[in-house]
Amino acid sequence: MHLLNLGILAHVDAGKTSLTERLLHTAGVIDELGSVDDGSTTTDSLALERQRGITIKSAVVSFPLDGVTVNLIDTPGHPDFIAEVERVLGVLDGAVLVVSAVEGVQAQTRVLMRTLRRLRIPTLVFVNKIDRRGARDDAVLAQLARRLAVPLVPMGRAAALGTRAARFLPGLGPAALDTLADRDDALLAAYLDGGVPDVRLRAALADQTRRSLVHPVYFGSAVTGAGVPDLIAGIERLLPAAAGDPAGPLSATVFKVERGPAGEKIAYARLFSGTLGVRDRVLFGDGRAAQEGRPEGRVTALSVFERGTDRRQERAGAGRIVKAWGLGGIRIGDALGAPGRAYVHHFAPPTLETVVVPGPGTDRRSLHLALTQLAEQDPLIDVRHDEVRQETSVSLYGEVQKEVIQATLADEYGLDVAFRETTTICVERLTGTAGAVEFNKKDGNPFLATVGLRVEPAPPGTGVGFRLEVELGSMPYAFFKAVEDTVRETLGQGLHGWRIPDCSVTMTHSGYSPRQSHAHQGFDKSMSSTGYDFRGLTPLVLTEALRRAGTRVHEPMHRFRLEAPADTLGALLPVLAGLGAVPQRTGTEGMLAVLEGAVPAAQVHGLEQRLPGLTRGEGELETAFDHYAPVRRGPVPERPRTDHNPLSRKEYLLNVTGRVAG
């Protein structure tokens, strides 16, 4: 039997989890349909998910079709939990994008479809809620074509819209042939020669869907079941089966990590090649690391997903999604065995952060440990601990995520916390090129090390590059490694306290004091260089190079699309200008004005609050992170430092060595 790893994705409240329930019920896996409102759905297993009626964590559940076993992955729809969606994308063979027939295309719908297209993941579209009052079919189809700008193939039409009797009438119309022939010259030639048999048309549909060239569209209702059997048939016939050789070398990717009742780590992994078994010893870790630099662990237990549950199994082969126990140091994004698909970020990083304030009786150490464990399950929660101020901050996508963290700490760890006001996360970028050097035993350098570094700007998105302009054999490799690791750590806080994500750092000078020992005595640390010397000196040299090169603070910018009555444009434009928004395109769609442009992320919430009053409640705003841009308004944002402050040599040396060098 073939395997298919299928993702269900949607904007929040489009009916994604309800569709998951309906699919499981139709396949005979569950006897009764769960309800999101009642908190009884299969995949929303967390207490918090049941209370709030939203999906927070991705969940895997399996069901059989005639010739395919489907591992269905239900993902969150709320944009605050986009990191959960991101991790799932790399393990999918296909996807179903759910759109509401009432609300139509929404902000998250566009973000998800753009990403699915970029990754070439075969995707079906299910227009849900055709039984609801206000449901539309042709209008939503036109909106899908216009707003998503992707080739669509309607698989039929809806009847009795907006009633409990609403149903899906399957059938490929002339539009299907037009869309498919645009991408298949042979099909076009056959059409011009006199017609295309239905079998040929459906074969072309399957081929183009599997290559992510077109996207079939179904209409239905997860609540009544209308259209769901047709969607299931499409899942089975149009989406590709999982590929991979069970006899090949082991290659898997970890996309989720959770902790069991005893605190043990459980890794969810997609096997792309080979076979994984209980008692196997496997290398794991960052797939980019050298083989000898990756840890090894023994799998103590293994589960696979079948018929709505997971069950223990001794071995699992390529194509499977497994739960593995025994890999203590495992992290999300790690490769098991041979490095396979690289784990990359498909969505923007969090642009907000807040300080977590412990409540009465909450131990700070316990809080830090709990937040660290939450960050293991969500790598985009960046936990920063300030030893000086005894404060811990976390990065966020939005206010709902903050509420969920608060509730999780209370429910799972018994910790009462509050939060300070949410602030925007900026970055720093170099404005020039410069270098600095400190020599061993000269000019007040208390460290037994020579380090010279040159910093240069790098294009956004390229990351931090570290190169050597000195001979690798000029000193022990461990000292070079200490410099590189410290450089990357130090760049987490630039001249204004913000991370410097993209730059090139070159080591221009190196030197050390060789191992010294006295007769009949051991190693003399006071006369011999150690890694401590290079770790201690590097922040001073790097910070001085940054100071000479200069940095500029950049704030996150969101692209926006705003639809509002045309006669409100005169009131909107001055407000947008006052918020620092830059309209880049203005147009009209009927009686609506459409504005597109960029706005500082810090101003998005304010714009959302003012929009109803400015547009008589008819304005619709869609925003998503787009890029970082130099801060041009107000004072330069500063972020409190959490390190030993290499910007002040005196303070730094007192913190690191306990003295100030002469």
Side-chain angles (χ1 to χ4, degrees):
M1 181 175 278
H2 295 305
L3 289 168
L4 169 65
N5 296 300
L6 178 73
I8 305 288
L9 296 86
H11 187 96
V12 66
D13 290 335
K16 172 181 47 58
T17 299
S18 297
L19 177 60
T20 298
E21 287 292 305
R22 177 60 68 176
L23 290 171
L24 296 176
H25 184 264
T26 303
V29 170
I30 56 176
D31 296 328
E32 293 185 13
L33 285 168
S35 165
V36 173
D37 293 336
D38 296 340
S40 57
T41 56
T42 305
T43 52
D44 285 345
S45 57
L46 297 177
L48 198 55
E49 292 177 315
R50 296 180 184 276
Q51 292 165 16
R52 289 178 168 268
I54 61 172
T55 302
I56 296 171
K57 297 288 185 183
S58 58
V60 183
V61 63
S62 180
F63 64 87
L65 299 179
D66 287 344
V68 182
T69 294
V70 178
N71 287 326
L72 189 150
I73 308 176
D74 185 19
T75 63
H78 199 288
D80 280 15
F81 308 106
I82 195 70
E84 284 289 322
V85 181
E86 174 175 272
R87 292 190 285 275
V88 165
L89 289 174
V91 305
L92 298 182
D93 303 305
V96 174
L97 181 64
V98 185
V99 179
S100 167
V102 179
E103 288 83 12
V105 174
Q106 296 172 282
Q108 191 82 335
T109 316
R110 296 183 71 194
V111 171
L112 292 169
M113 181 54 92
R114 277 198 301 266
T115 307
L116 290 165
R117 292 280 293 177
R118 188 171 69 248
L119 298 176
R120 300 188 65 79
I121 295 174
T123 302
L124 311 181
V125 178
F126 185 74
V127 180
N128 191 25
K129 302 185 181 181
I130 63 171
D131 58 317
R132 296 283 184 89
R133 181 180 300 176
R136 301 162 296 156
D137 52 358
D138 291 343
V140 170
L141 196 60
Q143 190 186 45
L144 285 166
R146 185 180 76 253
R147 298 283 296 279
L148 300 183
V150 298
L152 304 170
V153 178
M155 299 299 291
R157 60 184 181 86
L161 274 171
T163 71
R164 292 288 292 183
R167 61 194 185 279
F168 178 65
L169 303 177
L172 291 175
L177 180 57
D178 292 342
T179 302
L180 295 170
D182 281 347
R183 290 154 187 83
D184 186 332
D185 292 341
L187 193 67
L188 178 60
Y191 171 60
L192 296 175
D193 284 344
V196 177
D198 187 65
V199 172
R200 174 77 180 275
L201 187 65
R202 293 188 178 277
L205 174 64
D207 174 65
Q208 292 191 31
T209 301
R210 288 169 185 161
R211 291 191 288 146
S212 198
L213 296 177
V214 300
H215 304 284
V217 181
Y218 297 84
F219 291 86
S221 168
V223 171
T224 67
V228 173
D230 303 278
L231 175 65
I232 288 177
I235 290 170
E236 185 174 5
R237 297 169 189 165
L238 301 179
L239 296 179
D245 179 8
L250 175 66
S251 180
T253 298
V254 175
F255 66 92
K256 178 177 178 177
V257 173
E258 64 183 19
R259 287 186 178 268
E264 75 278 15
K265 281 189 177 181
I266 306 170
Y268 288 67
R270 160 74 191 267
L271 302 181
F272 291 102
S273 172
T275 302
L276 183 66
V278 178
R279 293 177 294 280
D280 284 356
R281 297 197 66 87
V282 296
L283 291 173
F284 63 89
D286 186 345
R288 295 168 298 180
Q291 290 290 94
E292 61 271 15
R294 301 169 68 206
E296 187 179 53
R298 183 186 296 275
V299 177
T300 58
L302 199 66
S303 283
V304 298
F305 294 90
E306 286 187 359
R307 297 195 64 84
T309 187
D310 62 289
R311 66 176 184 83
R312 294 297 177 96
Q313 191 162 301
E314 284 294 306
R315 304 192 71 75
R320 284 282 193 182
I321 289 178
V322 300
K323 292 169 66 175
W325 285 256
L327 307 176
I330 201 74
R331 298 177 301 176
I332 289 171
D334 279 355
L336 301 182
R341 302 186 185 184
Y343 178 70
V344 296
H345 292 308
H346 308 298
F347 302 110
T351 57
L352 303 172
E353 71 176 350
T354 184
V355 173
V356 186
V357 181
T362 296
D363 178 65
R364 290 182 182 273
R365 291 181 180 274
S366 299
L367 174 59
H368 184 66
L369 177 62
L371 288 170
T372 301
Q373 290 189 0
L374 290 182
E376 286 177 353
Q377 300 171 36
D378 186 350
L380 294 182
I381 294 180
D382 180 27
V383 177
R384 297 176 77 244
H385 187 61
D386 186 337
E387 291 286 354
V388 177
R389 298 171 186 79
Q390 287 296 296
E391 293 178 348
T392 301
S393 61
V394 295
S395 57
L396 303 164
Y397 278 100
E399 294 299 313
V400 173
Q401 188 183 13
K402 184 163 67 173
E403 295 171 15
V404 168
I405 291 174
Q406 184 179 38
T408 302
L409 290 172
D411 296 346
E412 296 185 15
Y413 297 91
L415 300 175
D416 175 30
V417 302
F419 298 93
R420 292 200 191 143
E421 183 181 1
T422 302
T423 57
T424 303
I425 299 175
C426 298
V427 300
E428 292 182 51
R429 299 202 185 281
L430 289 170
T431 58
T433 298
V437 62
E438 296 231 10
F439 293 97
N440 191 351
K441 302 177 184 177
K442 290 185 179 180
D443 301 322
N445 174 9
F447 301 103
L448 298 179
T450 293
V451 174
L453 298 170
R454 183 176 67 249
V455 295
E456 302 169 74
T462 55
V464 175
F466 183 81
R467 300 196 302 268
L468 296 180
E469 229 173 54
V470 294
E471 290 291 335
L472 186 59
S474 61
M475 65 180 188
Y477 172 75
F479 295 163
F480 286 114
K481 188 70 167 61
V483 172
E484 180 178 357
D485 290 347
T486 308
V487 161
R488 296 184 184 278
E489 181 182 346
T490 304
L491 288 172
Q493 301 183 69
L495 302 182
H496 299 278
W498 303 104
R499 184 172 64 95
I500 302 177
D502 306 294
C503 70
S504 175
V505 181
T506 303
M507 190 168 185
T508 58
H509 297 75
S510 65
Y512 74 109
S513 296
R515 182 182 180 92
Q516 301 288 330
S517 58
H518 300 293
H520 310 296
Q521 295 181 14
F523 169 51
D524 188 345
K525 189 181 297 185
S526 67
M527 298 172 61
S528 311
S529 296
T530 65
Y532 159 83
D533 293 292
F534 289 90
R535 287 190 294 271
L537 181 59
T538 296
L540 284 176
V541 177
L542 180 59
T543 301
E544 182 57 30
L546 294 174
R547 200 195 314 262
R548 294 175 184 177
T551 68
R552 187 169 185 180
V553 177
H554 287 55
E555 65 181 332
M557 300 291 290
H558 281 217
R559 62 177 174 273
F560 72 86
R561 187 180 194 275
L562 196 161
E563 292 185 0
D567 61 351
T568 65
L569 203 57
L572 272 171
L573 289 175
V575 172
L576 290 171
L579 294 174
V582 182
Q584 295 163 344
R585 189 180 77 83
T586 305
T588 58
E589 292 182 6
M591 299 297 291
L592 292 177
V594 180
L595 299 176
E596 294 183 355
V599 61
Q603 304 298 333
V604 169
H605 185 58
L607 179 57
E608 290 171 339
Q609 289 183 315
R610 299 186 65 177
L611 189 62
L614 293 167
T615 63
R616 301 188 297 272
E618 298 178 48
E620 291 187 11
L621 177 68
E622 174 186 318
T623 69
F625 172 83
D626 190 63
H627 65 283
Y628 288 93
V631 174
R632 302 187 187 279
R633 299 152 44 89
V636 175
E638 301 281 341
R639 191 188 208 186
R641 302 192 72 88
T642 60
D643 58 10
H644 294 305
N645 192 19
L647 290 173
S648 168
R649 186 181 185 89
K650 180 178 179 180
E651 180 184 342
Y652 178 82
L653 291 177
L654 277 172
N655 286 328
V656 175
T657 68
R659 60 190 175 89
V660 177

